[in-house]
Amino acid sequence: MEGGTSWESYYYKDSVHHLKQTTEGNDEAEYDLISMENFLPNDLLERILSFLPLASIFKAACVCKRWNEVIHSRRTIWANRVPQKPWYFMFTCNDTAAGYAYDPDLRKWYNLELPCIEKRNWFISSSSGLVCFMDNNTRSCIFVCNPITKNKRKLLEVPGVKSPDYSALAISMNTESSGYDVVVVKTKQVPEDFLHWELSIHFYESQRELWVTLATEVLVGWRGGDEGVICKGVLYCLIHCTGVVGNSLIRQGLLMYDLTARSSSTLMSTSISVPCSLTCGRLMNLSDKLVLVGGIAKLDRPDIIKGIGIWELNKKEWREVARMPHKYFQGFGEFDDVFASSGSDDLIYIQSYGATALLAFDMSRRQWRWSQKCPVTKRFPLQLFTGFCFLPRPEVAT
Amino acid sequence: MASYERRKVTLKSSDGEEFLVEEAVAMESRMIRYMIWDGLAGDVIELPGVKGKFLSMIIDFCKKRVAWAAGGDGTLEGLKSDFVKVDLGTLIHLSAASFCLKTNDLVDLTSQTLANRIQGKTIDEICRALNPEE
């Protein structure tokens, strides 16, 4: 990868977001007074930088200390911008959390270093510019951060069972309080009982900085999973059938729990079915609508999918929005039943675990489009890729 | 025709260069305009923040713009694009000078142009451009 031909190529070097010194020799040398850019007063510099596209602004922050200070301290650089489309972060290394972020506006990949997360198997949820990470091992480390500005906050440990079998993580920006809500749903099998699973819902309000356990219920014949999202104050989780049943039964369901109303009726009584048996069902909040993406399982062979569907929930009824056209399906090459899909605002990203190809579906235009080719290619057969979607919102803080 | 359009004023740069211009042209600069309206300007207006070389270029643009507004040839876009056909260093100075003089549309023009130029460069290139070897 040749360096030095464009701003973007800077991101292919190892280090990002460190201040680059311009004078040779002394590392601590401040900007010398003969520098021409000193003729620009801060207000003017801010004006100039405010014309830069978002991605360039972070590169501009690396030019010198003064530019860095102006960029990070001046809110007007972020104000009045056309809101950026959601980015997609793809993990490209099996062991670490290294990866690249895709910007669909400029159609470019950036080597972005995520704060807080140590391994890519951590639980991830994002909402309105904030991303929540929870470690997969102990589930005791939970952070909320802005992946662009690296602003971060560690939350108190989640209450509830110590080693749940399944955990779902969901974060939601609370526009009224300008804080955020985090929900962790824990599922633990009742010992030696395949049919009974205990599910608990734990809720965190950033304003109060406290966890509250909202509900605990033992589900019969169903269990919680790792997929949950908050949409307009309601928590939605996918549940999975654990009983041994015939192939005609739909094997997943949707729990709906109103986080404000906190009704005492059982979780199962308000649950609904999903449109069909799915593999890799993913829930996402797209402009305050609940959307489900999943592989449509073949009836007789639930591990093989015959397509990928997108559904929207409208007053407890599912409405099919789109199906991935066959040519895109084929474009992924071998398509396992396992794929990653994540979305925000009006965009859904879908990628196969086995490749770096990334497909985007624009909900408002109903259009499918491949992303620009990822700079990382698969190097060995067992290499897996996954990722998540987030909104680049540098003005948002934890 | 109002009397101020005929009056001339001398603008003096930080390095002592003097430019005799029509008041209408000088008033393209909001800073000078307010000075004149508030009665704070004499026959010679000193501009310690602007060097002669760049003041001359800005005055030239303002003259052409006033002429164009009065029904001259050419387009405003053409005038603007000619103004910014300069190297990066000069552009920075022009931007700073426009900012000082409060010729707002020149500030916007030079800022946008600078942003466009920055966008295409690597960090190394921009640092080198901002720190020329003396």
Side-chain angles (χ1 to χ4, degrees), chain B residues 39-50:
Chain B
L40 296 173
D43 290 325
V44 177
I45 298 178
E46 294 202 9
L47 303 166
V50 188

Side-chain angles (χ1 to χ4, degrees), chain A residues 284-295:
Chain A
M284 44 197 91
N285 177 339
L286 298 184
S287 302
D288 279 341
K289 293 206 186 66
L290 179 71
V291 169
L292 168 69
V293 178

Side-chain angles (χ1 to χ4, degrees), chain B residues 23-89:
Chain B
E23 226 176 50
V25 171
M27 302 228 293
E28 289 278 301
S29 150
R30 273 184 172 71
M31 188 194 87
I32 295 176
R33 191 189 305 180
Y34 297 144
M35 278 176 75
I36 292 175
W37 284 354
D38 290 346
L40 296 173
D43 290 325
V44 177
I45 298 178
E46 294 202 9
L47 303 166
V50 188
K51 278 195 173 162
K53 173 180 170 189
F54 309 112
L55 181 59
S56 151
M57 292 169 79
I58 292 177
I59 288 173
D60 190 56
F61 176 86
C62 294
K63 276 185 185 164
K64 288 182 178 151
R65 183 220 262 284
V66 167
W68 168 82
D73 293 329
T75 63
L76 189 57
E77 285 312 304
L79 282 180
K80 284 181 169 178
S81 78
D82 283 344
F83 184 72
V84 290
K85 273 181 188 148
V86 291
D87 63 82
L88 187 65

Side-chain angles (χ1 to χ4, degrees), chain A residues 92-105:
Chain A
T92 50
C93 180
N94 272 7
D95 313 309
T96 68
Y100 289 80
Y102 182 66
D103 171 355
D105 281 315

Side-chain angles (χ1 to χ4, degrees), chain A residues 63-238:
Chain A
V63 168
C64 69
K65 192 169 175 186
R66 183 166 87 105
W67 285 32
N68 189 280
E69 274 166 10
V70 167
I71 285 167
H72 284 106
S73 62
R74 303 246 176 159
R75 297 247 132 179
T76 58
I77 286 198
W78 314 118
N80 307 321
R81 289 190 158 258
V82 175
Q84 298 258 303
K85 289 211 200 103
W87 288 12
Y88 185 81
F89 184 89
M90 189 185 289
F91 294 102
T92 50
C93 180
N94 272 7
D95 313 309
T96 68
Y100 289 80
Y102 182 66
D103 171 355
D105 281 315
L106 294 182
R107 293 182 66 76
K108 293 206 183 294
W109 289 89
Y110 308 117
N111 188 346
L112 183 69
E113 204 178 299
L114 297 172
C116 315
I117 184 174
E118 286 160 32
K119 283 183 187 273
R120 65 191 226 165
N121 66 352
W122 283 33
F123 297 95
I124 303 169
S125 173
S126 80
S127 167
S128 306
L130 291 180
V131 180
C132 186
F133 293 117
M134 182 167 76
D135 84 320
N136 200 333
N137 218 6
T138 60
R139 289 173 214 88
S140 56
C141 285
I142 178 164
F143 297 90
V144 173
C145 71
N146 183 323
I148 305 265
T149 62
K150 316 288 189 246
N151 171 243
K152 63 184 183 218
R153 186 185 291 261
K154 185 169 180 177
L155 305 187
L156 285 178
E157 197 174 322
V158 189
V161 291
K162 279 298 162 198
S163 337
D165 296 308
Y166 297 92
S167 296
L169 175 68
I171 184 173
S172 172
M173 190 71 130
N174 193 329
T175 39
E176 283 137 27
S177 67
S178 50
Y180 48 88
D181 302 327
V182 179
V183 171
V184 172
V185 182
K186 293 189 173 183
T187 301
K188 187 142 179 92
Q189 187 186 348
V190 172
E192 286 155 46
D193 185 339
F194 198 67
L195 277 184
H196 289 82
W197 297 75
E198 186 184 76
L199 187 140
S200 55
I201 300 176
H202 310 278
F203 179 72
Y204 181 92
E205 271 175 302
S206 65
Q207 312 286 75
R208 299 176 61 210
E209 292 185 41
L210 280 180
W211 285 98
V212 173
T213 300
L214 298 183
T216 308
E217 188 171 313
V218 175
L219 307 182
V220 185
W222 292 87
R223 63 161 176 83
D226 46 20
E227 201 53 34
V229 84
I230 299 171
C231 194
K232 280 173 123 172
V234 179
L235 169 72
Y236 297 93
C237 304
L238 279 183

